[in-house]
Amino acid sequence: MKSEEADQLIEKYNNGKASASERALVESWYLKYPEGARLSEQNLLAEHDAGLHRLNAYLDKGRRIRLLQRVAAAATVFLVLSTGIYFYGSAPQGIKDSITPEQDIAPGGDLAVLTLANGDTLNLSSVKAGVVIGAEGLTYTDGARVGGPNATADPDSAEEITAETPRGGTYRIQLSDGTLVVMNSESKLTFAQYFNDQSRIVELSGEAYFEVAKDPARPFVVKTNGQEVRVLGTHFNINSYTQNRSIRTTLLEGSVRVTASNSELILTPGYQAVLTGGQLSQAKADLEEAVSWKDGYFRFNNESITDIMSKLARWYDIDVAYEGDITDEGFTGTISRFKKISDVLAMLETTKTVHFKIEERRVTVMR
């Protein structure tokens, strides 16, 4: 890889325009070395020739790859809090000994489908990072057209579009008002192709991160099952998967009003609204955990193995089974979402409290 190509790739990564494979390449460079490491010229050239050398130059200049340094520092660390088991470094073979490379399961990528008001569907490109709903119709973030004649629309149309990500899919959507929505796997977003003059209303199931374009004249409203979030312009994450016990709305910037039944909360940054059984409450939030999926990694905070496997099932598109008594320990740690599933499972196995077997797209969890 030439230094100019590495330069362009890092720029795409920092701007959120890199594809899943490109993000994985950048992270594979960085995660090989601990934060602050001084990489020798010999190592750099042996690893990725001029490409990695260019990356190191960026790090030396202080032009950090945002958030990735914190990911790198903890990428191979897990902690079982209730027993005090701690480990750092390379994972043992474990699950890796029991499968061939052909049996391993790759991570998800950029996948989504748009359904237009007339029922036509558009499969969004897996080599593009996002789509823009603009005055010229539907385009990718690089300006390329989406689909054929169906992608052209009347700029005054208020007809609805539905975006859906499957298991193993994620996608970035820029709405007609400039709002950015990053959709997690197995999620659905319904929105007007062009918002009217009074309001901006979308409906969500699953999980999405919002960077809402400021518009004091038109509130931005996100409706989920039993809840409504109203903002004027802010950054927040909503996790509303139906299989979860709660809907969590986490605020990173600005202010939001969360309404459910007869309850209402005004959130400030660093807090989240939790809707459980129709009851709305407020809690201090782990912001990194809330948006880790968007930034390309899993972050577990004293989570049960069943909750962890639920996340892995959505991202790797797998079925999960349990055999025998399963540990009730809580796992805390961080690992890249762009590793194959065997790498993630091997790291969990290092705690010696859980083991796995893979059969096609079925992962069995054992003591």
Side-chain angles (χ1 to χ4, degrees), residues 64-301:
R64 313 293 290 184
I65 298 175
R66 291 192 293 271
L67 292 179
L68 202 54
Q69 57 268 40
R70 292 197 294 275
V71 179
T76 56
V77 179
F78 279 85
L79 176 66
V80 183
L81 294 177
S82 54
T83 61
I85 299 173
Y86 173 86
F87 68 88
Y88 179 87
S90 299
Q93 291 303 300
I95 184 68
K96 288 181 171 293
D97 278 342
S98 66
I99 63 170
T100 66
E102 292 74 24
Q103 291 174 303
D104 212 345
I105 299 172
D110 297 314
L111 297 171
V113 176
L114 291 183
T115 301
L116 305 182
N118 62 6
D120 289 343
T121 59
L122 298 170
N123 292 308
L124 298 178
S125 173
S126 60
V127 298
K128 307 287 187 180
V131 66
V132 176
I133 315 298
E136 302 301 321
L138 310 180
T139 63
Y140 292 108
T141 50
D142 62 3
R145 301 285 299 180
V146 176
N150 291 330
T152 303
D154 177 1
D156 296 323
S157 172
E159 292 184 338
E160 288 188 339
I161 294 178
T162 297
E164 293 184 77
T165 51
R167 279 188 165 199
T170 185
Y171 226 81
R172 304 169 72 88
I173 299 176
Q174 183 177 310
L175 303 180
S176 60
D177 67 331
T179 291
L180 172 66
V181 184
V182 187
M183 298 177 63
N184 202 354
S185 302
E186 211 169 16
S187 298
K188 180 179 179 180
L189 184 74
T190 301
F191 53 92
Q193 181 159 334
Y194 299 99
F195 296 116
N196 61 35
D197 294 333
Q198 284 75 47
S199 63
R200 300 171 288 169
I201 300 174
V202 303
E203 295 183 14
L204 170 72
S205 62
E207 184 169 21
Y209 168 80
F210 294 82
E211 291 185 0
V212 177
K214 291 180 171 57
D215 186 347
R218 295 188 299 172
F220 190 95
V221 178
V222 183
K223 294 183 176 182
T224 59
N225 184 26
Q227 176 183 282
E228 181 177 292
V229 177
R230 181 177 293 263
V231 305
L232 295 178
T234 186
H235 299 184
F236 60 97
N237 189 86
I238 299 179
N239 185 324
S240 64
Y241 288 112
T242 55
Q243 58 267 48
N244 290 355
R245 292 179 292 274
S246 304
I247 296 177
R248 295 180 179 270
T249 303
T250 306
L251 182 63
L252 286 82
E253 177 184 302
S255 178
V256 302
R257 184 173 70 195
V258 183
T259 305
S261 300
N262 296 320
S263 301
E264 181 177 292
L265 285 175
I266 304 296
L267 288 183
T268 55
Y271 285 84
Q272 65 182 197
V274 182
L275 178 62
T276 306
Q279 298 299 310
L280 193 61
S281 62
Q282 182 173 242
K284 186 72 175 175
D286 181 337
L287 298 184
E288 287 191 18
E289 178 189 3
V291 298
S292 59
W293 65 271
K294 175 185 72 72
D295 294 321
Y297 61 101
F298 293 107
R299 180 179 173 89
F300 308 125
N301 186 5

Side-chain angles (χ1 to χ4, degrees), residues 302-361:
N302 196 26
E303 290 191 49
S304 68
I305 192 63
T306 53
D307 286 344
I308 289 173
M309 295 310 297
S310 178
K311 292 181 178 180
L312 298 185
R314 282 193 292 267
W315 183 235
Y316 290 94
D317 188 17
I318 59 170
D319 294 321
V320 179
Y322 296 89
E323 187 175 291
D325 294 330
I326 302 303
T327 179
D328 58 359
E329 309 287 6
F331 294 81
T332 295
T334 306
I335 193 167
S336 171
R337 273 167 53 109
F338 301 108
K339 291 180 178 291
K340 289 190 174 182
I341 197 170
S342 64
D343 293 312
V344 181
L345 300 181
M347 299 306 294
L348 292 168
E349 282 188 335
T350 307
T351 63
K352 303 186 185 304
T353 61
V354 65
H355 296 86
F356 306 90
K357 63 181 177 183
I358 299 176
E359 299 167 304
E360 295 183 347
R361 301 199 74 86

